[in-house]
Amino acid sequence: MKSNQRITGFLTLCSVAILFVACANQMEPAKNALDNINTTLNSVSADAQKYVPDEFAEAQTKVAALTASFEKKDYAAVVAGAPAVLQGCIGCSRAETEFDLTTMPPPVYRLV
């Protein structure tokens, strides 16, 4: 649980940093934003696919759209859209840890 909080704090800090440097050369912040988003998405992908497949698929779609914008050299769109996509990725990591205990098989549910 602490690792999720650390990741959340780190990624929030990165998002804020990206927004502050957005006025300068936007290619580097856009690349850093995509790298952070991809790292976050990859770190939660195995569990997110299992526990929250819809949210994970939506996050992947948004990341693909940002990647397409980056390849078109629309760095402003990447920098502007990165915080929302990052929050979606963080949402996947939170959702995977908040599963419903009542969905577990009865013997396991009774032990918990």
Side-chain angles (χ1 to χ4, degrees), residues 15 17-34 37 66 69-70 74-84:
S15 296
I18 289 170
L19 290 174
F20 279 104
V21 296
C23 296
N25 182 8
Q26 292 188 346
M27 181 181 171
E28 196 63 33
K31 183 180 181 310
N32 289 338
L34 277 177
I37 290 168
L66 280 183
S69 293
F70 184 82
D74 188 3
Y75 304 127
V78 175
V79 171

Side-chain angles (χ1 to χ4, degrees), residues 55-73:
E55 289 87 351
F56 182 70
E58 182 179 334
Q60 282 183 315
T61 302
K62 290 178 181 179
V63 171
L66 280 183
T67 303
S69 293
F70 184 82
E71 290 171 356
K72 293 177 187 174
K73 298 184 187 216

Side-chain angles (χ1 to χ4, degrees), residues 4-112:
N4 283 341
Q5 291 173 344
R6 287 182 185 171
I7 290 173
T8 302
F10 173 74
L11 294 175
T12 302
L13 179 65
C14 288
S15 296
V16 170
I18 289 170
L19 290 174
F20 279 104
V21 296
C23 296
N25 182 8
Q26 292 188 346
M27 181 181 171
E28 196 63 33
K31 183 180 181 310
N32 289 338
L34 277 177
D35 290 344
N36 288 336
I37 290 168
N38 285 325
T39 300
T40 303
L41 198 60
N42 289 336
S43 70
V44 300
S45 65
D47 290 334
Q49 285 177 348
K50 183 177 179 182
Y51 295 114
V52 286
D54 295 336
E55 289 87 351
F56 182 70
E58 182 179 334
Q60 282 183 315
T61 302
K62 290 178 181 179
V63 171
L66 280 183
T67 303
S69 293
F70 184 82
E71 290 171 356
K72 293 177 187 174
K73 298 184 187 216
D74 188 3
Y75 304 127
V78 175
V79 171
V85 174
L86 188 58
Q87 288 300 318
C89 294
I90 292 171
C92 285
S93 69
R94 286 185 184 154
E96 76 187 30
T97 60
E98 297 173 2
F99 60 93
D100 185 11
L101 290 177
T102 60
T103 61
M104 298 174 79
V108 176
Y109 178 71
R110 287 187 200 120
L111 292 174
V112 177

